[in-house]
Amino acid sequence: MTEPALAVAGLSHRWGAKTALDAVSFTLPAGRFCALLGPNGAGKSTLMAVLTGLIRPRPGVVSVAGVDMGRAPRAALAGIGVVFQQPTQDLDRTVAANLRYFAALQGLTRPETEARIEEALTRLGMAERAGEKVGRLNGGHRRRMEIARALIHRPRLLLLDEPTVGLDAPARAAITAHVHDLAATGISVVWATHLVDELRDSDDMVLLHRGRVAAAGAVGGLRGATPLPDWFLARTGAVA
Amino acid sequence: MRAATTRALRAAGAIMARELARFLSQRERFLAALVRPLVWLFVFAAGFRAALGMSIIPPYRTYITYETYIAPGLCGMILLFSAMQSALSLVNDRESGTMRLMLTAPWPRWFLLGTKLLAGALVGLVQVAVFLGVGWAYGIHLPPLGYLAAVPALLLSGLMLGSLGLLLSARVRQLENFAGVMNFVIFPMFFLSSALYPIWKMQEASPALAWICRLNPFTHAVELIRFSLYLQGNALSLAVTAGATAVFFALALWGYEPARTRRPKGE
């Protein structure tokens, strides 16, 4: 484990006159679950836009498993699985068909694809849903389908942008648990959220506030004896 | 290298299959796309046949009915509508994240967007084929080999209009309603072209408008289709259509380039 899964060094961005990210730096070791925490407007979406290739960073600023995103964006993206905040599914097609489309987009062969679909769905506890139309699934299962899809090309880094928004409590808990399990198998996870109850003490955390890194480290070590919502409130002035 | 090409082609196949499947599943869209030009053919052309006297101009060698004259223009109209509809769905895709998902695939942007364009052009081609079939049954008989010869011309025209749609979807944020596109893109392109009347007719009415028609790339797409339906070449129209495709596509790619990070002011 020499290369960190994700390294960001001095990332800045502004939209017009408004600064969205100001010299953001952090490192994510391989196989860790890292929460990207921050109130709305903290810069999470902008950071996600950079990490998913929508905004290209300067060379030497963002690297994914040692691949420079500014120099070789496609090679860097090949190592990343993304779950966008907005759902992106073909509702009138089956779970398997949605995954097959994505696998083909990645250039996987048919035999490879079928094996990986099964593997990914099993990991998310969705194997028996493969033949169901996505439109008939509930919100939680749709999200799990999207997470399974993001794993098809076996990325080392999984990015999830507010993946539990709009879900009920049991579905949120299930998805949070599933993704923690993924991290335990060696996949590095960046989990953008503003909901502190999704975090565990053993997780890493990068707290963004007004475009800057306000705190970074293990959740348990940072908050000490203070309950996380109170800690979050004290740091950002926002209720989590 | 070869393996990479095979993988890229697989990705392209998936994008095209998805577009075709989406089109075929939207029966209303298919029906609307077919009814529109047929109304023009059956109603408008019938009404205007008497009003517009035709003369023999290339590529025609005999007198033709007005219906026969506007058939290539209506093929162009189908492609135009189809391209603008794709442009609107691109805007939706952009908003909904489907586009973002596609662009995270490890291929160059020109390749992914070009594939989407080609898929759109093929969808347009299917619609034109059905239209020409109905036209045949109605009595509009073009040279049999012309139907085959027109395929490349139709594809190129579809690509040109698709590139224009892609460019619009990249540049115009407020593309959400079709009415705007109708007023500012479809109507001017269609009416200021040789689709419904030969340019020499327009010249009699207004030389200035005739010049606009000559400069309109849609005119050249229509003429390219018209000439190839009669198994003839038209170098000028081919050059303009191909050139316009290249320019529109290049500008669209530029519009879809990822933004660069910008440092805060004063740094």
Side-chain angles (χ1 to χ4, degrees), chain A residues 127-198:
Chain A
E128 74 286 358
R129 308 258 175 200
E132 280 185 43
K133 287 202 169 166
V134 175
R136 306 193 139 211
L137 300 180
N138 64 34
H141 283 115
R142 286 186 198 182
R143 265 301 189 215
R144 271 147 77 172
M145 186 278 282
E146 290 189 311
I147 298 172
R149 183 177 61 190
L151 296 173
I152 290 282
H153 56 299
R154 294 193 178 140
R156 304 299 305 150
L157 175 64
L158 187 60
L159 302 177
L160 305 103
D161 192 1
E162 305 264 1
T164 58
V165 162
L167 299 181
D168 57 24
R172 275 182 57 203
I175 286 183
T176 312
H178 271 297
V179 176
H180 275 93
D181 291 347
L182 289 176
T185 64
I187 295 176
S188 313
V189 175
V190 173
W191 176 282
T193 187
H194 62 278
L195 303 165
V196 293
D197 61 348
E198 295 172 352

Side-chain angles (χ1 to χ4, degrees), chain B residues 97-113:
Chain B
T98 313
M99 192 70 164
R100 284 179 75 178
L101 186 73
M102 189 179 95
L103 293 179
T104 57
W107 313 108
R109 253 159 221 241
W110 65 262
F111 178 78
L112 291 168
L113 293 173

Side-chain angles (χ1 to χ4, degrees), chain B residues 229-241:
Chain B
L229 278 169
Y230 287 86
L231 298 163
Q232 292 181 41
N234 185 330
L236 173 67
S237 288
L238 176 62
V240 172
T241 311

Side-chain angles (χ1 to χ4, degrees), chain A residues 78-89:
Chain A
I80 303 179
V82 187
V83 177
F84 289 107
Q85 185 173 352
Q86 292 140 321
T88 55
Q89 311 129 344

Side-chain angles (χ1 to χ4, degrees), chain A residues 101 104, chain B residues 7-19 111 115:
Chain A
Y101 169 66
Chain B
R7 294 172 88 84
L9 287 179
R10 212 170 284 133
I15 294 171
M16 286 202 252
R18 180 170 177 270
E19 291 292 309
F111 178 78
T115 303

